[in-house]
């Protein structure tokens, strides 16, 4: 079974979808437009999708849908938090599915993409053929506290740079003091904060140091979308009920699902994937023993491509 990424491809269709409330979402379709539909749900929230994300899927088999969520990537306006909630994002996915005249699709998402993928599937189980989920993030308070403070147990030097961006008196409440800067309209205030937040996440995302990954997180578009929207979601408990995604798993228990989790994922620790699988033993659960959080670490990448190969037999 194939485990390597497919070659680079260009979209065959692309456009912007007007949400009707001030947002315009970038979308694209690659591969076989009459093939098995799969939608790539990016992380963050706010990180945006990249051309390389098309390459997880066989372009001869799949109709590959990639889009940028509200405020992220090529969607407009960049970094916008107004009208940006989990419910809005779920509705946007349905709007996009209808716009593209797709009846049902496979949902593929990692990190925050796993969160949104689960929320979408639990809201619209009849529209989901299968799920491929990576780096499970359930948006529980313990997970957010780990991101803000716990990762210093493993990455103390990276955390010092992240916390040290703020005055010492503000470091007891990193989230709200970062959030205040990130939503400031002045780029001289919000951009340095965004770069600090985003590079902290990027620097903790791989098992082995990867300057290329950190550099990608430091890109202005990625940094602003990721940091501002992530903080916006975190201060609002991700607009989810406590433990909502596990409590509602009964709605999708029947959906063929593969969960891929790096053993040493520091951004989204394995405890969340384990909790999800305990609640959902029917899902296939694959722990990659030598990987962190990043989707392109060799073992994770191979497992994700293999899941796409396995799902070729599913029918739309």
């Amino acid at each position: 079974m194939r485990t390597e990424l497919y070659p680079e491809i260009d979209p065959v269709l692309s456009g912007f979808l007007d949400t009707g409330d001030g947002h315009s979402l970038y979308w694209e379709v690659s591969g076989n437009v009459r093939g098995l539909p799969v939608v790539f749900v990016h992380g963050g929230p706010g990180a945006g999708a990249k051309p390389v994300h098309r390459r997880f899927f066989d372009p001869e088999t799949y109709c590959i849908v990639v889009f940028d969520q509200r405020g992220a990537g090529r969607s407009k306006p960049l970094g916008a938090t107004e009208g940006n909630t989990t419910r809005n994002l779920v509705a946007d996915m349905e709007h996009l599915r209808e716009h593209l005249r797709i009846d049902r699709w496979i949902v593929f998402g990692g990190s925050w993409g796993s969160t949104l993928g689960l929320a979408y599937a639990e809201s619209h189980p009849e529209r989901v053929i299968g799920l491929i989920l990576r780096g499970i993030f359930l948006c529980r308070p313990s997970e957010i506290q780990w991101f803000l403070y716990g990762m210093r147990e493993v990455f103390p030097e990276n955390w010092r740079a992240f916390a040290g961006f703020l005055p010492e008196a503000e470091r007891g409440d990193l989230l709200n003091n970062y959030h205040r800067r990130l939503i400031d309209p002045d780029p001289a205030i919000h951009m340095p904060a965004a770069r600090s937040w985003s590079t902290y996440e990027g620097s903790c995302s791989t098992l082995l140091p990867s300057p290329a990954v950190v550099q990608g997180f430091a890109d202005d578009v990625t940094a602003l979308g990721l940091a501002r929207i992530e903080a916006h979601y975190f201060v609002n408990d991700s607009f989810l009920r406590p433990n909502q995604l596990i409590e509602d798993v009964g709605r999708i228990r029947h959906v063929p699902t593969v969960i891929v989790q790096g053993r040493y994922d520091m951004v989204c620790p394995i405890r969340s994937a384990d909790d999800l699988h305990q609640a959902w033993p029917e899902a296939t659960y694959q722990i990659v023993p030598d990987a962190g959080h990043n989707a392109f670490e060799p073992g994770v990448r191979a497992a994700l491509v293999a899941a796409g190969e396995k799902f070729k037999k599913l029918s739309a």
Side-chain angles (χ1 to χ4, degrees), residues 203-216:
S203 66
C204 300
S205 290
T206 53
L207 181 64
L208 299 176
S210 174
V213 168
V214 176
Q215 183 177 1

Side-chain angles (χ1 to χ4, degrees), residues 38-42 53 56-57 65 93 105-110 113-114 117 130-134 295 300-301 303-305 307-308:
V38 60
V39 59
F40 180 91
V41 186
H42 69 68
H53 294 145
F56 285 109
F57 315 103
V65 180
M93 289 181 65
W105 52 10
I106 295 168
V107 177
F108 179 113
S114 75
L131 287 159
I132 301 173
L133 305 173
R134 171 197 62 84
V300 176
R301 181 187 65 219
L304 293 173
V305 173

Side-chain angles (χ1 to χ4, degrees), residues 3-23:
T3 56
E4 293 299 319
L5 294 177
Y6 281 88
E8 293 182 8
I9 54 171
D10 293 322
V12 293
L13 298 168
S14 64
F16 286 87
L17 184 66
D18 187 352
T19 65
D21 60 355
H23 291 269

Side-chain angles (χ1 to χ4, degrees), residues 106-107 117-118 121 128-133 252 255-258 280 311:
I106 295 168
V107 177
L118 285 166
V128 180
I129 303 167
L131 287 159
I132 301 173
L133 305 173
I252 55 173
V255 176
T257 298
V258 172
W280 193 7
F311 277 18

Side-chain angles (χ1 to χ4, degrees), residues 24-28 38-54 56-57 65-76 78-80 84 89 92-93 96 106-118 120 132-135 137 139 201 217 221-222 224-227 229-230 233 268 293 295-296:
S24 181
L25 307 182
Y26 173 81
W27 61 266
E28 63 181 44
V38 60
V39 59
F40 180 91
V41 186
H42 69 68
K50 304 291 189 293
V52 69
H53 294 145
R54 307 168 193 148
F56 285 109
F57 315 103
V65 180
V66 174
F67 75 104
D68 289 330
Q69 297 158 31
R70 294 183 179 216
R74 292 148 290 189
S75 292
K76 303 171 185 177
L78 176 65
N84 198 333
L89 301 187
D92 289 343
M93 289 181 65
L96 179 60
I106 295 168
V107 177
F108 179 113
S111 194
W112 164 259
S114 75
T115 316
L116 182 55
L118 285 166
Y120 173 83
I132 301 173
L133 305 173
R134 171 197 62 84
F137 181 51
C139 298
E201 181 167 340
F217 274 77
V221 171
T222 299
L224 180 58
L226 176 73
I229 297 174
E230 213 162 65
Y233 273 73
C268 297
H293 182 67
F296 297 99

